[in-house]
Amino acid sequence: MKRLAMAATFALALSIGGVSPAVALADDSSTADATVVQAAGNGEAETPGTDDPPTDLGDDADPGDDGTPTEPGDGEESTDPGGDENAADPGDGEESADPDESTDEPTEDSTPIDASFSLDQPTMPVDEAAEAIPYTITGLKAGDTVTASPGENGSITVDSDGTFNGELRGNTEIKAGYVLDVTVTVARDGQESKTFTGSVKITESEDDSDASVSVDPQSQGIDSYLDNGVDITVSDCEPGEDVTVTIVRKGEDTNIWEDTKTAGDDGSVSTSFMPGTGGDGWIGDFVVSAKCGDSSAETTYSVTENDDGSDADLSVTPQSQKLADFLENGVNNTLVNCHVDSEVKFQVSSAKDPDTVIWEESQEAGEDAAGSVQFLPDGDGGTAWVGDFNVVATCGDKSAETTFTVTDDGSVVDPKLSISPETISGEDFIDRDQGVQLMVNKCVPDTDVHFEVWSEGKEEKLYEQTATANEEGAAGIHVYGLGDDPAYYVGTYQVFADCMDVSRSGEFVVTGGDGGDSGEAGGSGGGSSMPRTGAELTGLTAGALLILGGGTAIGLARRKNKS
């Protein structure tokens, strides 16, 4: 037979599992694009034990025998009617007379064929199909016979259980646009053969001049992406060539990641990208680009929200507690169902004023995709912390809200400091009937209240005194200047009052007066008289302080004036 020209077609040699390609079957009268398909139906495959049985199972005569019955005694003993009564009659047991006759029935060691067939590439370029068309059969047993068509190489016996990989090689002329029908028959001793069919669409040859890149998976949830990243494969490069792979967010130009590897003998490279930290910031579409030599290719992949659609869940513990416990321990806030390494933000506001944030904190979600923080209030707030509060937590586009309550059990001391007046002239400050009154209310009755007066900036303590709270929890002192020069006292003074270890603070200002230049609080003035030195105390009546039980008024220690 002569070989057909390959200008428009390719010869497809058909063989199985290593059998060498057969020669083409087309004769001189066949056209270049004719398709010759040898169909193989059920039972057409040559299988062991399928020969036709003898027509006369009891015939032991010479081949030339004309069929005339023999006389009694001329044949074997088995033909004697008086022989052994257990001997088989020639007409009784035809099925057992020919051992091949039993091959159509299951044997003790034979099981029905439970195989499956698939073409590895249902669509192939014409040049690749001309070389070989791969297929796979699973569920075979050692000794099974596989016959594939079109082809002329007969059958092949499987030598082990499991999966069989075969290849169809050419005796059929094909060209782009053809659909090649394939038939594969599996035969097993003692079982009915099983036939599979399929088809391969033949396409134009691929252009190998450009590289190609693929990403696996092309879409996944954020949690899977953070844990596993993506696998990238670049092919169709030149062996030994440097291959550079980059990733950018779709619509942007800045590289998020870049890697360079050398192509192997097959002209391909494989690499993986692990995002690391970033949480929800990785949700979106990304472009993967590959370049080797003058060839380049790109593809895309997507990162989405998790498929489970679970919402973030916020908990605050305890949700209700007494003020004393709250000031000491605060509350614990936990937000779950976020993403690993995503930013989790917590905010607290009063239920009376939910738009004003009084505390906030952020952290990254851990490996459990949760964020947890403690909110510990400022103890100076006292009973101002009594009430209902809102907690809002967010991570990515997820958010959750809840509340907690603080109750007043009367165990928390919340003293109030008042200073009157807060601004006073120097002349009035040295007037012992006026001066400045420092008052603490809402303290515990019969407890000590300690007062201190400091210069501005708390640079120097100028005076301190302790007073006892009355039955209403109030205590106070009266301070004034003992000097004759009001300018000596001009300045700002810091006031501190402690009640049951709870501190309150405030200030008062002494303004300039006649008789000299202003100076710092407690500093030197411009008066000509020599001031008295040391602390000078003056007692106040209860009426003067409006505090039953009395109080103490103490003059500020004066420093020497400049001469």
Side-chain angles (χ1 to χ4, degrees):
M1 291 183 295
K2 69 178 181 179
R3 185 179 302 277
L4 297 179
M6 297 296 291
T9 63
F10 288 86
L12 174 63
L14 181 54
S15 67
I16 303 176
V19 178
S20 60
V23 297
L25 290 180
D27 58 20
D28 294 342
S29 61
S30 60
T31 60
D33 60 354
T35 300
V36 180
V37 177
Q38 297 179 353
N42 283 341
E44 290 188 5
E46 182 179 338
T47 60
T50 58
D51 294 340
D52 292 338
T55 58
D56 186 354
L57 298 179
D59 191 358
D60 293 327
D62 185 271
D65 192 355
D66 60 3
T68 303
T70 61
E71 294 295 346
D74 291 343
E76 300 296 332
E77 291 182 345
S78 60
T79 62
D80 187 354
D84 187 354
E85 63 181 8
N86 293 324
D89 185 272
D92 290 337
E94 290 186 1
E95 293 181 346
S96 62
D98 189 346
D100 288 342
E101 196 65 18
S102 63
T103 57
D104 290 336
E105 297 295 327
T107 66
E108 183 178 352
D109 296 331
S110 177
T111 58
I113 298 173
D114 185 17
S116 61
F117 164 78
S118 64
L119 287 162
D120 295 359
Q121 297 174 257
T123 300
M124 295 186 67
V126 64
D127 56 340
E128 293 184 12
E131 295 180 6
I133 298 177
Y135 66 91
T136 301
I137 306 177
T138 61
L140 298 183
K141 297 289 186 181
D144 287 350
T145 302
V146 177
T147 304
S149 68
E152 61 176 6
N153 295 304
S155 304
I156 186 168
T157 300
V158 178
D159 57 8
S160 61
D161 294 352
T163 301
F164 175 79
N165 296 308
E167 289 183 338
L168 299 172
R169 294 181 180 270
N171 71 349
T172 302
E173 294 180 357
I174 59 173
K175 69 178 183 180
Y178 277 6
V179 175
L180 180 66
D181 294 323
V182 175
T183 302
V184 174
T185 300
V186 177
R188 180 177 299 167
D189 287 350
Q191 298 295 331
E192 183 179 354
S193 61
K194 192 168 185 178
T195 299
F196 304 94
T197 60
S199 61
V200 180
K201 183 178 179 180
I202 309 302
T203 64
E204 294 286 354
S205 297
E206 294 180 347
D207 184 2
D208 294 335
S209 61
D210 292 332
S212 62
V213 58
S214 62
V215 178
D216 183 34
Q218 286 195 302
S219 180
Q220 61 181 316
I222 180 63
D223 285 343
S224 174
Y225 181 67
L226 293 174
D227 290 341
N228 305 311
V230 291
D231 296 324
I232 302 169
T233 301
V234 183
S235 55
D236 298 327
C237 295
E238 292 294 330
E241 195 170 42
D242 284 343
V243 181
T244 300
V245 183
T246 60
I247 296 178
V248 299
R249 183 177 289 276
K250 191 172 183 179
E252 299 181 4
D253 297 327
T254 304
N255 287 350
I256 295 173
W257 174 82
E258 180 176 318
D259 189 22
T260 300
K261 289 190 172 184
T262 302
D265 293 339
D266 60 353
S268 67
V269 298
S270 296
T271 185
S272 298
F273 169 58
M274 295 294 297
T277 61
D280 289 343
W282 287 109
I283 294 176
D285 297 323
F286 299 86
V287 178
V288 180
S289 300
K291 184 176 181 181
C292 54
D294 296 331
S295 298
S296 62
E298 69 177 33
T299 187
T300 61
Y301 69 89
S302 301
V303 180
T304 63
E305 279 285 349
N306 290 328
D307 294 336
D308 59 11
S310 58
D311 293 329
D313 186 17
L314 173 65
S315 62
V316 176
T317 55
Q319 283 198 299
S320 180
Q321 60 181 318
K322 296 177 181 180
L323 176 60
D325 295 332
F326 174 67
L327 293 176
E328 182 177 357
N329 303 313
V331 292
N332 295 313
N333 308 275
T334 301
L335 186 69
V336 299
N337 294 334
C338 293
H339 305 305
V340 177
D341 297 326
S342 62
E343 183 183 32
V344 185
K345 186 176 182 180
F346 297 88
Q347 293 182 331
V348 174
S349 62
S350 170
K352 296 179 180 179
D353 185 12
D355 295 331
T356 301
V357 176
I358 58 179
W359 174 87
E360 66 180 354
E361 186 170 331
S362 297
Q363 66 167 210
E364 286 187 352
E367 294 182 357
D368 57 355
S372 184
V373 295
Q374 180 191 38
F375 167 43
L376 190 63
D378 182 357
D380 289 344
T383 55
W385 287 110
V386 174
D388 296 324
F389 296 87
N390 298 330
V391 181
V392 178
T394 60
C395 60
D397 59 356
K398 298 180 179 182
S399 64
E401 297 184 21
T402 189
T403 62
F404 68 88
T405 301
V406 179
T407 60
D408 186 3
D409 58 355
S411 62
V412 176
V413 176
D414 188 20
K416 305 297 181 182
L417 171 65
S418 63
I419 301 174
S420 180
E422 293 183 348
T423 302
I424 188 173
S425 68
E427 290 184 348
D428 290 340
F429 187 65
I430 62 174
D431 184 345
R432 298 190 181 189
D433 293 331
Q434 297 190 59
V436 176
Q437 295 183 20
L438 310 179
M439 299 283 297
V440 169
N441 293 293
K442 296 186 179 181
C443 192
V444 178
D446 297 325
T447 58
D448 290 339
V449 180
H450 187 72
F451 295 90
E452 292 181 356
V453 179
W454 291 69
S455 61
E456 186 175 15
K458 206 175 181 179
E459 295 179 355
E460 182 181 2
K461 183 164 64 177
L462 304 175
Y463 174 72
E464 64 179 346
Q465 181 63 33
T466 299
T468 302
N470 64 11
E471 61 185 7
E472 296 179 353
I477 64 172
H478 183 207
V479 294
Y480 53 89
L482 296 178
D484 298 328
D485 187 354
Y488 173 81
Y489 299 102
V490 172
T492 300
Y493 298 85
Q494 304 290 321
V495 177
F496 298 91
D498 291 328
C499 168
M500 299 293 290
D501 296 327
V502 178
S503 180
R504 296 291 181 262
S505 62
E507 66 180 25
F508 64 89
V509 177
V510 179
T511 61
D514 295 337
D517 297 331
S518 64
E520 292 183 359
S524 298
S528 59
S529 62
M530 294 293 293
R532 290 164 291 182
T533 61
E536 301 182 15
L537 310 181
T538 301
L540 276 181
T541 65
L545 288 178
L546 301 179
I547 298 176
L548 297 179
T552 304
I554 301 174
L556 293 173
R558 294 180 301 154
R559 307 178 69 172
K560 291 183 179 181
N561 292 331
K562 293 181 180 180
S563 59

